[in-house]
């Protein structure tokens, strides 16, 4: 298994949450109130799995390894992808701020009052607009390049680094829990079954 195939597998989960985000945004646009307890789940997935795990694998391991062997065009691409990560973090922070009052409150107390619907929709739309093409770029350009230019020893070093991130940040069984949560949210917000 190559280091980029690990990232590719994680993209499947990120694509699932993008579909869920679209569904949540659609609910908000239609004047429906998503369950208050779902907002912290989405924010946690984006903050923990995407930002603290997936992005960190790329930023601390994959991108530096590629920089050592890549040309200037690839360096520019990596800078652009890092910019996408920062943009994603800003959108998640904005979403968290928009829905923070919903966390821990009952739906009855929350409906129509605690969430900044406009800010939440803007954050969701911004995130989706950044990461749909981001994922396509990584899968079409960056990951095949990594498979081609990174030596097997480097691939092994990356996989070990990835394992440490999963162990230290995600923890045992948490990825599976995220998968169950994504399935439940997908069913609730009109996304195709995953």
């Amino acid at each position: 298994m190559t280091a980029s195939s690990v990232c590719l597998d994680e993209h499947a989960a990120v694509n699932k949450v993008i579909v869920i985000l679209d569904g949540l945004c659609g609910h908000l646009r239609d004047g429906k109130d998503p369950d208050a307890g779902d907002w912290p789940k989405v924010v946690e997935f984006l903050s923990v799995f995407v930002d603290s795990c997936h992005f960190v694998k790329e930023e601390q391991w994959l991108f530096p390894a590629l920089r050592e062997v890549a040309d200037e065009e690839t360096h520019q691409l990596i800078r652009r992808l890092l910019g996408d990560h920062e943009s994603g973090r800003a959108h998640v922070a904005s979403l968290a701020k928009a829905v923070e009052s919903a966390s821990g409150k009952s739906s009855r107390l929350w409906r129509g009052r605690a969430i900044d619907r406009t800010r939440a929709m803007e954050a969701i739309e911004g995130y989706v607009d950044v990461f749909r093409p981001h994922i396509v770029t990584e899968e079409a350009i960056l990951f095949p390049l990594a498979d081609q230019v990174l030596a097997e020893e480097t691939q092994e070093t990356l996989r070990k680094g990835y394992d440490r991130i999963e162990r230290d940040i995600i923890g045992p069984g948490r990825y599976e829990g995220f998968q169950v949560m994504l399935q439940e949210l997908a069913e609730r917000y009109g996304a195709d079954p995953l």
Side-chain angles (χ1 to χ4, degrees):
M1 174 178 272
T2 63
S4 60
S5 67
V6 172
C7 293
L8 188 62
D9 287 346
E10 291 175 357
H11 276 185
V14 178
N15 278 321
K16 290 174 187 178
V17 83
I18 285 173
V19 170
I20 292 162
L21 288 168
D22 273 340
L24 284 163
C25 199
H27 270 61
L28 292 173
R29 249 188 253 100
D30 294 342
K32 298 175 185 173
D33 292 320
D35 187 278
D38 291 340
W39 290 113
K41 293 175 186 176
V42 169
V43 170
E44 178 187 23
F45 180 82
L46 294 171
S47 298
V48 174
F49 180 80
V50 178
D51 185 5
S52 298
C53 182
H54 179 72
F55 287 176
V56 170
K57 287 177 183 176
E58 293 179 343
E59 293 170 2
Q60 292 183 3
W61 293 96
L62 181 60
F63 294 171
L66 280 170
R67 278 192 186 112
E68 289 184 17
V69 296
D71 59 14
E72 181 54 32
E73 186 177 342
T74 304
H75 285 245
Q76 289 174 6
L77 175 61
I78 290 170
R79 284 191 293 275
R80 191 183 94 211
L81 295 170
L82 287 168
D84 290 349
H85 288 187
E86 289 308 312
S87 180
R89 288 177 176 114
H91 290 301
V92 172
S94 183
L95 178 62
K97 185 74 173 160
V99 302
E100 70 183 345
S101 307
S103 178
K105 304 284 185 191
S106 74
S107 294
R108 181 179 52 77
L109 295 174
W110 169 75
R111 289 189 191 276
R113 290 194 290 129
I115 186 171
D116 180 338
R117 298 170 82 84
T118 301
R119 186 173 188 177
M121 285 189 291
E122 288 172 354
I124 290 169
E125 289 167 348
Y127 192 90
V128 169
D129 288 348
V130 168
F131 283 100
R132 277 203 171 114
H134 177 95
I135 288 170
V136 170
T137 298
E138 286 188 343
E139 291 180 2
I141 299 170
L142 195 76
F143 295 166
L145 175 67
D147 291 345
Q148 188 176 37
V149 301
L150 296 177
E152 180 53 40
E153 304 81 45
T154 303
Q155 297 275 355
E156 181 63 25
T157 299
L158 295 180
R159 287 190 300 269
K160 287 178 182 176
Y162 291 179
D163 289 344
R164 279 194 302 274
I165 290 167
E166 288 177 18
R167 181 187 65 239
D168 296 344
I169 294 172
I170 297 295
R174 197 157 181 208
Y175 180 77
E176 293 78 10
F178 278 137
Q179 289 296 331
V180 170
M181 178 200 70
L182 289 175
Q183 180 62 37
E184 291 169 357
L185 292 173
E187 291 170 3
R188 202 164 13 258
Y189 296 106
D192 293 330
L194 308 172

